[in-house]
Amino acid sequence: MASQTNPDPAALDAAIGFALPARHARGRFARLGPVLDEILSAHDYPAPVARILAEALVLTALLGATLKDAGGQLTLQAQTEAGVIDLLVADYRGGELRGYVRFDADRLAEQPSQPSLFSLFGKGYLAITFDQAMSGERYQGIVPLEGAGLADAVEHFFAQSEQIPSLVRIAVGDSGRVAGGILLQHLPEGEEGRERLHTRLDHPEWDHVRILAETIRPEELTDPTLPLEDLLWRLFHDEEEVRLLSATPLARGCRCSDEHVRGVIARFAPEERAEMAGEDGVINVDCEFCSRVFPVRASDLDG
Ligand SMILES: [Zn+2]
């Protein structure tokens, strides 16, 4: 697979939203390339850790694109009690993504090269938080980390806490630097899933689109030369109507700043700050998301 192809810029670092009105279905595709590479390059994660973060970032992009107001934030957080990975955080705001993983390198080394979700997280939980900036409304759902991967856990999240039949597929390319996914949902009563009064378990129209979406191959999700619109067409061209709703460019973004770091350090007592500082009197604080280092002179905060 060493052939040189020129990736279509529209095929990477983007999310598109679509609807199949006759089937009461809505969905999104997201695919990450350079953005994923940038995020991963800030860290030196072993392959299985980089892979799970890539999956989490695609999910974050898929879910983040569902936020109704542009200033809203979507946070995906996987946490465990005694897992090899003890914390994974990824968030989305205004098309910007960031994420990091905290893990035990020694215990990871004892895992098989393609560890299962359970072997990485043990008994863990996935929390998905929607913060709407305009209304200040915050909604959080938590599900156990079960199934073959994070995509399964997100499907369970929608089935359990939202009662929205959903299909989620994520794929990470062989290089580990391209990842893509689809989220497809059945919303017969509009997009406000939480206000649904009843849930039917048999949905012939949903079964139909779900089966079509299941034909998607991982290589299609991660093909940097295949525009997302073409993928949409490939899956649903026999449908009566396919509506393209939105296209969102995705970028890497971090919100760390000098000011924020100084604010955090200022909350420690002067003695504690003195202990944290090196011989030169400087406390070097690094941002967990982007690894940028912020030097803070301990004495600057005294007095
Ligand atoms: Zn940062």
Side-chain angles (χ1 to χ4, degrees), residues 249-269:
L250 301 169
R252 173 212 189 191
C254 201
R255 297 188 289 280
C256 55
S257 68
D258 244 346
E259 205 184 0
H260 173 75
V261 168
R262 291 171 70 88
V264 171
I265 300 298
R267 277 179 238 142
F268 289 89

mmCIF file of all heavy atoms in Angstrom, residues 249-269:
data_model
loop_
_atom_site.group_PDB
_atom_site.id
_atom_site.type_symbol
_atom_site.label_atom_id
_atom_site.label_comp_id
_atom_site.label_asym_id
_atom_site.label_seq_id
_atom_site.Cartn_x
_atom_site.Cartn_y
_atom_site.Cartn_z
ATOM 1 N N PRO A 249 -15.452 21.687 9.031
ATOM 2 C CA PRO A 249 -14.013 21.402 9.047
ATOM 3 C C PRO A 249 -13.551 21.174 10.489
ATOM 4 O O PRO A 249 -14.057 21.810 11.411
ATOM 5 C CB PRO A 249 -13.384 22.661 8.457
ATOM 6 C CG PRO A 249 -14.399 23.743 8.631
ATOM 7 C CD PRO A 249 -15.753 23.096 8.768
ATOM 8 N N LEU A 250 -12.628 20.252 10.679
ATOM 9 C CA LEU A 250 -12.140 19.941 12.022
ATOM 10 C C LEU A 250 -10.690 20.386 12.159
ATOM 11 O O LEU A 250 -9.926 20.338 11.203
ATOM 12 C CB LEU A 250 -12.256 18.435 12.284
ATOM 13 C CG LEU A 250 -13.679 17.878 12.182
ATOM 14 C CD1 LEU A 250 -13.660 16.356 12.197
ATOM 15 C CD2 LEU A 250 -14.550 18.408 13.321
ATOM 16 N N ALA A 251 -10.335 20.833 13.345
ATOM 17 C CA ALA A 251 -8.977 21.310 13.598
ATOM 18 C C ALA A 251 -8.524 20.834 14.966
ATOM 19 O O ALA A 251 -9.337 20.427 15.790
ATOM 20 C CB ALA A 251 -8.948 22.837 13.536
ATOM 21 N N ARG A 252 -7.214 20.884 15.163
ATOM 22 C CA ARG A 252 -6.722 20.607 16.504
ATOM 23 C C ARG A 252 -6.736 21.923 17.269
ATOM 24 O O ARG A 252 -6.330 22.956 16.736
ATOM 25 C CB ARG A 252 -5.289 20.089 16.419
ATOM 26 C CG ARG A 252 -4.656 19.927 17.771
ATOM 27 C CD ARG A 252 -3.170 20.193 17.646
ATOM 28 N NE ARG A 252 -2.485 19.840 18.869
ATOM 29 C CZ ARG A 252 -1.230 20.157 19.132
ATOM 30 N NH1 ARG A 252 -0.532 20.835 18.245
ATOM 31 N NH2 ARG A 252 -0.673 19.804 20.249
ATOM 32 N N GLY A 253 -7.212 21.859 18.496
ATOM 33 C CA GLY A 253 -7.214 23.090 19.274
ATOM 34 C C GLY A 253 -6.958 22.797 20.722
ATOM 35 O O GLY A 253 -7.355 21.761 21.235
ATOM 36 N N CYS A 254 -6.252 23.670 21.397
ATOM 37 C CA CYS A 254 -6.073 23.516 22.830
ATOM 38 C C CYS A 254 -6.356 24.867 23.453
ATOM 39 O O CYS A 254 -6.121 25.903 22.847
ATOM 40 C CB CYS A 254 -4.668 23.043 23.174
ATOM 41 S SG CYS A 254 -4.636 22.292 24.833
ATOM 42 N N ARG A 255 -6.882 24.841 24.647
ATOM 43 C CA ARG A 255 -7.256 26.100 25.284
ATOM 44 C C ARG A 255 -6.354 26.427 26.465
ATOM 45 O O ARG A 255 -6.700 27.231 27.317
ATOM 46 C CB ARG A 255 -8.720 26.042 25.696
ATOM 47 C CG ARG A 255 -9.634 25.902 24.488
ATOM 48 C CD ARG A 255 -11.083 26.023 24.833
ATOM 49 N NE ARG A 255 -11.568 24.883 25.571
ATOM 50 C CZ ARG A 255 -11.909 23.729 25.023
ATOM 51 N NH1 ARG A 255 -11.784 23.547 23.720
ATOM 52 N NH2 ARG A 255 -12.348 22.740 25.745
ATOM 53 N N CYS A 256 -5.185 25.789 26.524
ATOM 54 C CA CYS A 256 -4.267 26.094 27.611
ATOM 55 C C CYS A 256 -3.675 27.490 27.383
ATOM 56 O O CYS A 256 -3.560 27.950 26.256
ATOM 57 C CB CYS A 256 -3.152 25.051 27.678
ATOM 58 S SG CYS A 256 -2.240 24.837 26.144
ATOM 59 N N SER A 257 -3.329 28.158 28.455
ATOM 60 C CA SER A 257 -2.727 29.488 28.334
ATOM 61 C C SER A 257 -1.881 29.752 29.573
ATOM 62 O O SER A 257 -2.076 29.122 30.614
ATOM 63 C CB SER A 257 -3.809 30.556 28.226
ATOM 64 O OG SER A 257 -4.510 30.646 29.450
ATOM 65 N N ASP A 258 -0.991 30.707 29.430
ATOM 66 C CA ASP A 258 -0.158 31.155 30.543
ATOM 67 C C ASP A 258 -1.013 31.516 31.749
ATOM 68 O O ASP A 258 -0.746 31.126 32.880
ATOM 69 C CB ASP A 258 0.580 32.432 30.109
ATOM 70 C CG ASP A 258 2.081 32.216 30.071
ATOM 71 O OD1 ASP A 258 2.535 31.199 30.628
ATOM 72 O OD2 ASP A 258 2.779 33.058 29.488
ATOM 73 N N GLU A 259 -2.054 32.258 31.447
ATOM 74 C CA GLU A 259 -2.944 32.769 32.479
ATOM 75 C C GLU A 259 -3.593 31.623 33.265
ATOM 76 O O GLU A 259 -3.638 31.644 34.496
ATOM 77 C CB GLU A 259 -4.031 33.598 31.781
ATOM 78 C CG GLU A 259 -4.658 34.637 32.640
ATOM 79 C CD GLU A 259 -5.793 35.339 31.886
ATOM 80 O OE1 GLU A 259 -6.056 34.983 30.711
ATOM 81 O OE2 GLU A 259 -6.410 36.218 32.484
ATOM 82 N N HIS A 260 -4.072 30.618 32.523
ATOM 83 C CA HIS A 260 -4.733 29.481 33.164
ATOM 84 C C HIS A 260 -3.749 28.734 34.064
ATOM 85 O O HIS A 260 -4.048 28.430 35.223
ATOM 86 C CB HIS A 260 -5.301 28.546 32.093
ATOM 87 C CG HIS A 260 -5.859 27.273 32.659
ATOM 88 N ND1 HIS A 260 -7.067 27.221 33.318
ATOM 89 C CD2 HIS A 260 -5.354 26.021 32.695
ATOM 90 C CE1 HIS A 260 -7.288 25.992 33.724
ATOM 91 N NE2 HIS A 260 -6.268 25.228 33.371
ATOM 92 N N VAL A 261 -2.551 28.484 33.545
ATOM 93 C CA VAL A 261 -1.545 27.735 34.296
ATOM 94 C C VAL A 261 -1.150 28.496 35.564
ATOM 95 O O VAL A 261 -1.073 27.925 36.654
ATOM 96 C CB VAL A 261 -0.315 27.443 33.404
ATOM 97 C CG1 VAL A 261 0.848 26.942 34.226
ATOM 98 C CG2 VAL A 261 -0.686 26.439 32.316
ATOM 99 N N ARG A 262 -0.944 29.795 35.437
ATOM 100 C CA ARG A 262 -0.574 30.601 36.617
ATOM 101 C C ARG A 262 -1.697 30.584 37.645
ATOM 102 O O ARG A 262 -1.447 30.538 38.847
ATOM 103 C CB ARG A 262 -0.263 32.052 36.197
ATOM 104 C CG ARG A 262 1.029 32.145 35.388
ATOM 105 C CD ARG A 262 1.203 33.540 34.806
ATOM 106 N NE ARG A 262 1.490 34.530 35.829
ATOM 107 C CZ ARG A 262 2.720 34.828 36.250
ATOM 108 N NH1 ARG A 262 3.751 34.231 35.708
ATOM 109 N NH2 ARG A 262 2.906 35.717 37.179
ATOM 110 N N GLY A 263 -2.934 30.593 37.163
ATOM 111 C CA GLY A 263 -4.081 30.539 38.064
ATOM 112 C C GLY A 263 -4.104 29.246 38.868
ATOM 113 O O GLY A 263 -4.398 29.245 40.066
ATOM 114 N N VAL A 264 -3.773 28.146 38.199
ATOM 115 C CA VAL A 264 -3.765 26.842 38.874
ATOM 116 C C VAL A 264 -2.654 26.807 39.924
ATOM 117 O O VAL A 264 -2.871 26.423 41.081
ATOM 118 C CB VAL A 264 -3.577 25.687 37.849
ATOM 119 C CG1 VAL A 264 -3.349 24.354 38.552
ATOM 120 C CG2 VAL A 264 -4.791 25.605 36.914
ATOM 121 N N ILE A 265 -1.458 27.256 39.536
ATOM 122 C CA ILE A 265 -0.311 27.220 40.449
ATOM 123 C C ILE A 265 -0.509 28.186 41.631
ATOM 124 O O ILE A 265 -0.105 27.910 42.756
ATOM 125 C CB ILE A 265 1.002 27.574 39.686
ATOM 126 C CG1 ILE A 265 1.249 26.565 38.565
ATOM 127 C CG2 ILE A 265 2.201 27.630 40.621
ATOM 128 C CD1 ILE A 265 1.447 25.135 39.014
ATOM 129 N N ALA A 266 -1.176 29.298 41.352
ATOM 130 C CA ALA A 266 -1.395 30.302 42.410
ATOM 131 C C ALA A 266 -2.235 29.756 43.561
ATOM 132 O O ALA A 266 -2.195 30.274 44.672
ATOM 133 C CB ALA A 266 -2.068 31.545 41.809
ATOM 134 N N ARG A 267 -3.018 28.682 43.278
ATOM 135 C CA ARG A 267 -3.868 28.127 44.334
ATOM 136 C C ARG A 267 -3.071 27.323 45.364
ATOM 137 O O ARG A 267 -3.572 27.021 46.432
ATOM 138 C CB ARG A 267 -4.962 27.237 43.713
ATOM 139 C CG ARG A 267 -6.147 28.072 43.237
ATOM 140 C CD ARG A 267 -7.206 27.196 42.602
ATOM 141 N NE ARG A 267 -7.460 27.618 41.230
ATOM 142 C CZ ARG A 267 -7.702 26.805 40.211
ATOM 143 N NH1 ARG A 267 -7.699 25.509 40.399
ATOM 144 N NH2 ARG A 267 -7.934 27.282 39.020
ATOM 145 N N PHE A 268 -1.821 26.973 45.046
ATOM 146 C CA PHE A 268 -0.988 26.253 46.015
ATOM 147 C C PHE A 268 -0.378 27.241 47.018
ATOM 148 O O PHE A 268 -0.186 28.414 46.707
ATOM 149 C CB PHE A 268 0.142 25.498 45.301
ATOM 150 C CG PHE A 268 -0.341 24.313 44.511
ATOM 151 C CD1 PHE A 268 -0.721 24.446 43.180
ATOM 152 C CD2 PHE A 268 -0.423 23.051 45.103
ATOM 153 C CE1 PHE A 268 -1.179 23.347 42.448
ATOM 154 C CE2 PHE A 268 -0.885 21.952 44.380
ATOM 155 C CZ PHE A 268 -1.256 22.101 43.054
ATOM 156 N N ALA A 269 -0.069 26.726 48.201
ATOM 157 C CA ALA A 269 0.570 27.572 49.210
ATOM 158 C C ALA A 269 2.007 27.877 48.761
ATOM 159 O O ALA A 269 2.595 27.094 48.028
ATOM 160 C CB ALA A 269 0.592 26.837 50.545
#
